Every structure is written in C-alpha cells, then in structure tokens.
Amino acid sequence: MQLIGMLDSPYVRRVAISMRLMGIPFTHRAVSVFRHLAEFQSINPVVKAPTLMLDDGNTLMDSTLILDYLDTLYPERSLMPKTLPQRQHCLYLLGLALAAMEKSVQLIYEQQLRPEDKRHLPWQERVTSQLTAAYSALEQAMATLPPDINNMDQAGISIAVAWRFSRELLPQQLNWMDFPLLQQWSTQAEALPAFVATPFE
C-alpha cells in the first residue's frame, strides 16, 4: 500500500503513525496538494490527502475512512477499544482532536492562503473560539481519564498529532501554556518510535 500526502498534514500523519503502530507495511509518497497538483490529480482527481493506494490499484481517501478500512482488514490490530465504555470515551476524545485539526486548518487557510483584503475577522474569531473549546475539553479530559501512553489508541495518536500541528503552524493563535497536560502528552507521544519515524515536516 502507498500513503499519499505530506506529513505536515495532521490527517496524513495520523494515518501513517497508526499504520506503523498496527504493523502494516506501506510506502509513503510525499506528494503535496499544492506543489504537486498534477501528480496528485493523477492519483486521486479529488486531490484529497491522505489518499491510500491499495495493492489492487484502488484508492481510498479521508483519514477516518482509511483507518476504518484498515481496522476491518486487520481487526486484531485495531487501535480502537473493543468494550463500549472505553470505545465511547475514545470516540469522544477523537471527535475533539479531529475538531481541533479541522479548526486549525481553517485558520491556516484563512490567514496564510486567503488574500488579506478578503479575510473576515468575525469568522476567524468564531473558528478560534471553536479551537479553544476543543483544546479546553481535551485538557479537562486529560486531567480526568487520559489515554495510556503505553497502550496508544486512536484518540491518543490524534490528540498528539493535532496538538503538534496547531502548535507548529499557529504559534500565536492561543495561549498554549493554558494546556500543560496536552503539552506533556505531546512530548511523551512524540518520543515514541512510531512518532519519531513519522516526523512532522
């Protein structure tokens, strides 16, 4: 299998780290949706990262759908809890992490890609409030029932990936010191071999 996309995308990175933790062999192709548009279009005309090219030549896109497919393909290696209470909590954390990724991407596009005279401050303020809410809820969850660094699940991966992405690309957006438990989690996760082998680029 080939994973298409850049590792500065939290969606690509969460899939790559998950595949490493699941022991699924793959080749990573660093194709940018911006700099390598024609090449990406030849793989997936929708130009959506990540795209997973399967061994039979078919492709899948969207990180959550790709991970669902991999869980179906290798159910014994799934990074999702099996029992309902643990799974529900994991899905709650995962939803917050994915929201943080989405709101970070929206802010980056608004601030770095949209022409300055086209930017809409009320929209940026709304998205920033949503990003703050997502990380505030995650910080609270980390204080009550955090993921297990020694038994990394999909929520733990996605929280760490989202945090690194937001911190790197939106360094002035929030007061990041307000989230010490998330910073601690990120530091621990980024030291794991699967994260080290999948560096944020």
Side-chain angles (χ1 to χ4, degrees), residues 3 15 50-52 60-70:
L3 181 63
V15 172
T51 290
L52 185 68
L60 297 173
M61 59 181 151
D62 188 282
S63 64
T64 297
L65 301 182
I66 290 170
L67 290 169
D68 180 72
Y69 170 79
L70 296 174

Side-chain angles (χ1 to χ4, degrees), residues 51-92:
T51 290
L52 185 68
M53 184 178 293
L54 306 177
D55 293 337
D56 62 7
N58 289 314
T59 58
L60 297 173
M61 59 181 151
D62 188 282
S63 64
T64 297
L65 301 182
I66 290 170
L67 290 169
D68 180 72
Y69 170 79
L70 296 174
D71 278 354
T72 303
L73 195 61
Y74 301 99
E76 72 284 358
R77 306 183 194 181
S78 174
L79 298 172
M80 292 296 295
K82 301 295 190 295
T83 60
L84 186 57
Q86 287 78 18
R87 190 178 185 88
Q88 178 181 325
H89 184 65
C90 182
L91 289 171
Y92 169 70

Side-chain angles (χ1 to χ4, degrees), residues 80-81 83-96 137-138 140-148 153-156 159:
M80 292 296 295
T83 60
L84 186 57
Q86 287 78 18
R87 190 178 185 88
Q88 178 181 325
H89 184 65
C90 182
L91 289 171
Y92 169 70
L93 297 178
L94 184 54
L96 291 170
L138 282 171
Q140 182 178 3
M142 297 296 282
T144 55
L145 187 60
D148 181 359
D153 62 14
Q154 191 52 240
I159 292 168

Side-chain angles (χ1 to χ4, degrees), residues 1-4 19 24-30 51-53:
M1 287 185 279
Q2 295 183 34
L3 181 63
I4 316 299
M19 292 181 77
I24 301 173
F26 70 99
T27 301
H28 173 232
R29 289 177 58 185
T51 290
L52 185 68
M53 184 178 293

Side-chain angles (χ1 to χ4, degrees), residues 165-184:
F165 177 73
S166 301
R167 286 294 311 266
E168 292 281 351
L169 296 183
L170 296 167
Q172 308 301 323
Q173 196 69 42
L174 302 181
N175 183 359
W176 299 109
M177 300 302 291
D178 289 342
F179 310 99
L181 296 178
L182 287 172
Q183 182 57 57
Q184 181 182 18

